[in-house]
Amino acid sequence: MLKLNNISIKLGDFQLTNIDLELEKGDYYVLLGKSGVGKTVLLEIIAGLIQPDSGTVILNEIDITHEKIQKRKVGIVFQDYSVFPHLSVKQNIEYPLKGKNLSSKQIESLIHEYAELTNIPHLLNRGTQKLSGGELQRVALARMLVNKPDCLLLDEPLASLDVQLKGDLRNLLRKINQNGTTILHVTHDYEEAIALSNKVAVIHEGKIIQKGLTKEVFKKPANEFVANFTGIKNFFFAEFSPVNTANINGKVNIHVSNHDQIEKGKIIIRGEEIIISENHLQSSATNNFKGKILQIIPYFSNYEIIIDIGIELSVVISEESLSKFKFKENSEVWVSFKSTAIKIIP
Amino acid sequence: MNNKSHTPLIFILLGGLILLFIISPLLGMFLATTPAQLFETSKDPEVVNSIWLTLWASFMATIVFAVGAIPLSYFLARTNFRFKGIVNGIVDLPVVIPHSAAGIAILGFVSRDSVLGKVGSSVGLNFVGHPAGIAIAMAFVSIPFLINAARDGFENVPVRLEKTALNLGASPARVFFTISLPLAWKNILSGLIMMFARGLSEFGAVIIIAYHPMITPILIFERFGAFGLKYARPVSVVFIIVCLVFFVLLRSLAKERKSTDA
């Protein structure tokens, strides 16, 4: 339904190179990348606000690369919402309906339908100056949806919302997608991708470095950047020997259970399955290393401990364990994990 | 140690002197004019007609030239082109050239021998000595105030709002009239008021184009030359009062609109 073929553009020091992307009807596609890599520019190219240097944008089999902005059937919702400040909420939603040859009754009915969908009927007669970020986002969504775009482009829609509002808005976005709207959503937050998308593409330095079904990309990251960016820790490239040993970066040899006779691949060691102790433990774990604690990072109820064993390992422990064993930065510890805690990606 | 600074006091004193410099001559003129003189002058048909002519000519100049000045401001705010600096300089030109010289230039532009003059003559209109010529002279010297204010206003309208409106299916013309213009309106209105006020006070350019019919600044000049200060002063006071009334009225209208928008 939406297809980007070899889109390239250079804007000052920044550039997008040969971007290929394909969305099917009903997809919730998340474009994941750090800030400033060109995600918004790509959305603006699709919406026609910027012309690419090369490449084509195809919507429903029609080349819309050079089509006028107002003739394209894609709707973009910007990160700053871009709600018209001089119009009321109702007038904002009404804006795209004017000039569509609709009766005032039809316009009124559509405004209420989409205000209901986005849960803002109580705001219709309000001005937009004093609305919260979440409310403005809903107004922007209602205004765009009432225009019935074939594809909805969302630029970091949850970025400036607090946790409670994020949850509410995620549910709304899911509902909009389930109602049949195809969505392309750009974000730097991998949790949004997991929570919402069925497909994901990771963009880095102006190029798409991996794309596919969300589950696949998160299960099989193509490289360290994707792994780190998708929240996966302890991702390494390894060379395997026939004796079920994986050598990581030429520094550390770890025991793996089965590597299907492959010579090179990627491994993920699940942080939750790594045990740390003050002394060497006698256990069934076949991988035991002495290391040094580099960093202790607090999370909500757990702690992430970064340990140098020749490679840096991320280990997750509870607050209770941390206070019980009094682990400190720069102290020496033992880490152990079973070979079954290692996931091999060919 | 005494940390008390004398700077605010010095600033207040210096500022006060400047305010006094502005107020004193005006106050002196008002005090030197008796209510009876004011009453007499305000009934003088020559004075009344000249005030109406001045107000009308400046108003028409503002309205007619705004039709072209506002789109030009929008263009200057939104478009980058090679000679933009030069165009901005041209816009400011009337502010820096002597207005009598501007009058001479306009005379050449609107006289019967010029293209515009010939077009006017073909429909029976001679700009020289005509209210239309007065309005052109007023517009020439006052239009930078409108263009600059409107350009600042349009520059303050986020481009993204215009792009959003286009993305919602609006035509560029609809975007201009429903988004850009309303959001820049505060500045535009301020520019319109300034242009109108500047037109009212124009003397140098207008006297070259049209000594008659007489706008009030020329009438004041003529009365001063022919009869002296005593006869020129009441006309000046009446004209200043009228200008102030219009200025305050328009300003408060603009302010009212601002508070309604908020």
Side-chain angles (χ1 to χ4, degrees):
Chain A
M1 99 95 32
L2 177 68
K3 205 171 173 185
L4 306 184
N5 295 324
N6 279 316
I7 294 285
S8 295
I9 188 170
K10 193 170 185 335
L11 295 167
D13 294 337
F14 146 89
Q15 63 178 28
L16 288 174
T17 315
N18 297 330
I19 302 289
D20 285 315
L21 214 60
E22 190 169 353
L23 277 76
E24 286 169 27
K25 186 157 176 54
D27 271 348
Y28 196 120
Y29 208 121
V30 165
L31 189 60
L32 196 58
K34 288 181 180 172
S35 299
V37 295
K39 306 186 298 288
T40 303
V41 171
L42 195 61
L43 292 191
E44 292 195 351
I45 287 172
I46 299 168
L49 308 177
I50 301 175
Q51 279 295 312
D53 295 338
S54 61
T56 51
V57 181
I58 312 286
L59 183 70
N60 296 329
E61 313 296 326
I62 298 165
D63 185 348
I64 59 162
T65 318
H66 302 290
E67 181 62 278
K68 285 179 181 173
I69 303 169
Q70 60 270 31
K71 300 278 182 199
R72 299 180 182 215
K73 288 190 168 179
V74 288
I76 185 166
V77 177
F78 289 107
Q79 190 178 353
D80 62 3
Y81 322 123
S82 291
V83 168
F84 304 136
H86 59 302
L87 302 180
S88 69
V89 170
K90 190 176 176 182
Q91 287 168 327
N92 263 278
I93 303 173
E94 189 182 20
Y95 192 85
L97 299 174
K98 285 197 169 174
K100 276 191 188 287
N101 287 329
L102 296 171
S103 68
S104 54
K105 203 175 171 186
Q106 284 172 310
I107 289 176
E108 198 69 19
S109 151
L110 279 167
I111 290 170
H112 280 90
E113 183 187 335
Y114 284 90
E116 290 283 348
L117 175 71
T118 50
N119 201 20
I120 50 167
H122 58 293
L123 299 176
L124 279 177
N125 294 317
R126 291 258 302 269
T128 55
Q129 307 276 347
K130 288 177 185 167
L131 298 183
S132 69
E135 289 169 335
L136 286 169
Q137 184 68 275
R138 284 165 188 274
V139 174
L141 279 168
R143 183 182 63 182
M144 191 47 75
L145 290 169
V146 82
N147 200 29
K148 296 193 165 65
D150 286 348
C151 182
L152 184 60
L153 312 174
L154 303 174
D155 183 12
E156 300 268 7
L158 309 173
S160 43
L161 304 180
D162 60 37
V163 178
Q164 168 72 36
L165 287 173
K166 267 186 189 177
D168 292 348
L169 210 71
R170 270 182 194 167
N171 290 337
L172 172 62
L173 293 176
R174 252 183 234 117
K175 200 159 113 186
I176 291 167
N177 180 237
Q178 281 160 6
N179 284 353
T181 308
T182 308
I183 297 177
L184 176 59
H185 168 147
V186 305
T187 180
H188 63 275
D189 184 349
Y190 70 91
E191 284 183 15
E192 283 178 27
I194 295 170
L196 292 164
S197 68
N198 65 319
K199 286 178 188 162
V200 67
V202 181
I203 185 167
H204 183 52
E205 292 178 344
K207 289 178 184 167
I208 288 182
I209 51 176
Q210 191 175 0
K211 62 187 171 188
L213 295 171
T214 308
K215 279 180 191 169
E216 290 299 312
V217 172
F218 278 77
K219 210 185 275 181
K220 294 181 180 178
N223 59 31
E224 199 173 349
F225 176 82
V226 177
N228 289 335
F229 203 71
T230 48
I232 294 168
K233 306 286 173 73
N234 302 331
F235 176 91
F236 305 102
F237 281 94
E239 288 182 13
F240 299 96
S241 71
V243 286
N244 283 353
T245 303
N247 180 271
I248 302 170
N249 300 342
K251 291 176 182 172
V252 175
N253 285 316
I254 60 170
H255 186 259
V256 292
S257 55
N258 184 6
H259 57 85
D260 292 333
Q261 308 307 316
I262 57 166
E263 288 181 1
K264 284 184 180 179
K266 293 153 269 179
I267 60 170
I268 295 169
I269 308 167
R270 283 185 280 272
E272 296 82 354
E273 294 186 33
I274 301 173
I275 294 167
I276 53 175
S277 56
E278 290 169 303
N279 303 306
H280 184 242
L281 295 177
Q282 295 300 321
S283 70
S284 61
T286 49
N287 292 296
N288 296 282
F289 300 93
K290 196 175 185 182
K292 188 176 161 189
I293 295 178
L294 297 178
Q295 228 183 335
I296 300 175
I297 307 159
Y299 282 130
F300 296 107
S301 56
N302 295 327
Y303 283 82
E304 182 187 3
I305 302 187
I306 311 293
I307 304 168
D308 180 9
I309 60 163
I311 53 170
E312 286 184 16
L313 276 186
S314 163
V315 183
V316 180
I317 65 166
S318 66
E319 189 174 1
E320 195 184 346
S321 297
L322 183 75
S323 55
K324 184 178 172 187
F325 292 103
K326 297 188 171 58
F327 293 126
K328 286 180 182 156
E329 288 178 358
N330 295 318
S331 61
E332 290 196 335
V333 289
W334 280 85
V335 299
S336 48
F337 51 90
K338 289 182 173 184
S339 55
T340 49
I342 301 164
K343 185 180 165 193
I344 299 170
I345 305 166
Chain B
M1 193 180 156
N2 186 7
N3 279 330
K4 208 173 170 185
S5 167
H6 294 294
T7 315
L9 190 66
I10 295 168
F11 277 34
I12 289 168
L13 275 173
L14 291 172
L17 282 174
I18 295 298
L19 286 176
L20 210 61
F21 169 71
I22 298 170
I23 293 167
S24 299
L26 295 172
L27 201 65
M29 188 169 66
F30 273 79
L31 292 174
T33 312
T34 64
Q37 282 175 318
L38 275 182
F39 186 67
E40 278 301 310
T41 310
S42 61
K43 284 200 307 182
D44 181 343
E46 199 181 11
V47 174
V48 173
N49 288 339
S50 83
I51 288 176
W52 275 121
L53 173 66
T54 313
L55 290 170
W56 182 240
S58 187
F59 181 74
M60 287 311 291
T62 305
I63 297 302
V64 171
F65 280 83
V67 175
I70 292 171
L72 173 63
S73 309
Y74 184 73
F75 179 75
L76 290 173
R78 284 287 178 261
T79 318
N80 283 320
F81 52 95
R82 205 172 168 190
F83 301 110
K84 191 173 174 180
I86 295 172
V87 174
N88 280 327
I90 292 170
V91 167
D92 286 333
L93 211 56
V95 178
V96 293
I97 60 171
H99 287 184
S100 49
I104 298 292
I106 298 163
L107 184 64
F109 179 63
V110 300
S111 67
R112 284 184 180 177
D113 301 332
S114 70
V115 176
L116 191 65
K118 281 174 186 164
V119 172
S121 295
S122 67
V123 291
L125 175 67
N126 180 12
F127 289 107
V128 180
H130 191 277
I134 295 172
I136 288 173
M138 284 176 168
F140 184 87
V141 296
S142 60
I143 206 159
F145 293 95
L146 172 59
I147 296 174
N148 288 331
R151 185 185 54 212
D152 290 348
F154 286 126
E155 276 172 351
N156 289 336
V157 176
V159 177
R160 194 163 265 192
L161 290 181
E162 294 173 350
K163 287 183 172 181
T164 300
L166 285 171
N167 184 243
L168 288 166
S171 66
R174 185 173 168 225
V175 173
F176 177 76
F177 285 110
T178 58
I179 305 296
S180 321
L181 199 62
L183 288 173
W185 184 246
K186 200 180 91 187
N187 284 64
I188 294 170
L189 197 58
S190 172
L192 287 168
I193 293 169
M194 288 308 293
M195 183 178 172
F196 174 67
R198 183 65 195 81
L200 291 181
S201 61
E202 183 49 29
F203 171 79
V206 176
I207 199 168
I208 308 282
I209 306 294
Y211 195 87
H212 289 282
M214 221 176 260
I215 60 163
T216 318
I218 296 174
L219 180 70
I220 293 168
F221 172 73
E222 198 210 37
R223 293 222 170 163
F224 176 69
F227 308 109
L229 187 62
K230 196 181 164 188
Y231 287 87
R233 198 154 41 203
V235 187
S236 304
V237 171
V238 170
F239 188 53
I240 287 172
I241 290 170
V242 171
C243 288
L244 282 177
V245 166
F246 267 88
F247 192 68
V248 170
L249 213 69
L250 289 170
R251 277 273 171 197
S252 51
L253 268 176
K255 214 171 176 182
E256 197 176 298
R257 187 185 166 87
K258 188 183 157 192
S259 59
T260 314
D261 288 348

